[in-house]
Amino acid sequence: MSRLANLAPLAALVAGSGAACALVVDAPDRLEPARAWCTPSSERLLGCGEAGVDLLALVAHAELRGVVLAAAVALFGFAFGTPLGAAAALAGGRFERAVDRTCDLLQAFPTFLLALAVLSAVRSPSRVHLACVFALTAWAPFARLALVQTRVVRSMAFVEAARALGAGRGAIVARHVVPNLLGIVAVQLGASGAAIVVSEAALAFVGLGPKDGVSLGAVLDQGVASMLRAPHVLVVGALAVMATSASMMIAGKSVAPAAVDGR
């Protein structure tokens, strides 16, 4: 039950955002200049931002899209990086060193700068562009964890027994090594998802977010611009980013490290 409880914040955030999207009639990009920067009220529960956009509608849609983006990229990194790291450690030699050095390089280079360089060349960035940029480096933490853990697992009896029975390297990785790494490596899912949420908001804040403008970073941008006359916009944006990233981080803890026993 404690593991499932860690999923509760993310489930509540998704359910709450979904309910808000369904109940709020206004679209997240609908503008009502007469209501610009109005404070929270019974009609607009979170108030309005620039040009009268309904902050509740904007935040709800942005949170849902941010969670989907983060989950998709994190799962890709998990699915690609885990078997790659395991196969490299099991093979050893040049392949292991190449994967290890590539992980070093990718994790040392700031993903945000890479995203700035790539997206600045795109006329109208979309979430597909963001996902592709994030995916370039998202697999590295998973591969590094799998690489380190496989160095321990590869000398264990069940791996040696599989080799003695004639199992190929791919079969050993798929049937014996990766299943014993899932619990440990999957913990990285929450951290990767939270980092992607923050990165997407940061890119939107500097003007390289999705062209539809539905992003938590866009709320933060409006909040900074109106910090003195409408401080509630910045508060709403900051709390939304914190709640989304924290819920994904906590959800990652629902995957407890599994014991390595070779079964």
Side-chain angles (χ1 to χ4, degrees):
M1 290 298 293
S2 59
R3 295 182 187 180
L4 293 178
N6 289 326
L7 292 173
L10 181 59
L13 183 138
V14 171
S17 298
C21 291
L23 295 176
V24 177
V25 178
D26 293 343
D29 56 354
R30 179 183 176 184
L31 305 180
E32 295 183 69
R35 293 180 176 272
W37 312 118
C38 73
T39 56
S41 64
S42 57
E43 294 183 5
R44 298 289 187 275
L45 296 181
L46 295 182
C48 294
E50 185 178 9
V53 62
D54 188 336
L55 287 181
L56 179 57
L58 178 58
V59 167
H61 283 271
E63 283 182 336
L64 284 180
R65 298 178 191 185
V67 167
V68 171
L69 173 67
V73 175
L75 287 173
F76 167 80
F78 174 72
F80 180 76
T82 303
L84 177 63
L90 201 62
R94 293 182 179 179
F95 185 28
E96 181 181 8
R97 290 193 296 272
V99 173
D100 197 9
R101 297 297 180 269
T102 303
C103 290
D104 289 339
L105 178 63
L106 291 177
Q107 291 186 280
F109 189 83
T111 304
F112 186 74
L113 293 181
L114 176 63
L116 284 177
V118 175
L119 295 177
S120 61
V122 179
R123 178 175 299 179
S124 299
S126 66
R127 284 184 173 79
V128 174
H129 294 108
L130 291 175
C132 291
V133 172
F134 292 145
L136 291 175
T137 58
W139 61 269
F142 297 97
R144 170 57 58 79
L145 280 174
L147 191 68
V148 172
Q149 293 299 320
T150 305
R151 286 170 179 165
V152 178
V153 173
R154 67 187 177 187
S155 60
M156 291 190 171
F158 69 92
V159 175
E160 296 298 332
R163 284 179 178 149
L165 291 172
R169 185 179 299 161
I172 294 175
V173 169
R175 298 178 184 177
H176 302 284
V177 178
V178 170
N180 281 280
L181 302 178
L182 293 181
I184 297 172
V185 179
V187 176
Q188 179 66 30
L189 281 169
S192 295
I196 292 166
V197 168
V198 175
S199 296
E200 189 269 340
L203 288 170
F205 181 79
V206 299
L208 292 175
K211 60 182 179 181
D212 58 12
V214 182
S215 170
L216 295 178
V219 182
L220 290 175
D221 184 33
Q222 294 182 25
V224 171
S226 63
M227 190 180 302
L228 298 179
R229 56 180 170 177
H232 69 280
V233 179
L234 183 59
V235 172
V236 168
L239 290 178
V241 172
M242 183 184 69
T244 307
S245 59
S247 63
M248 297 206 73
M249 184 73 76
I250 295 170
K253 296 180 180 180
S254 63
V255 186
V260 178
D261 56 9
R263 291 178 291 180

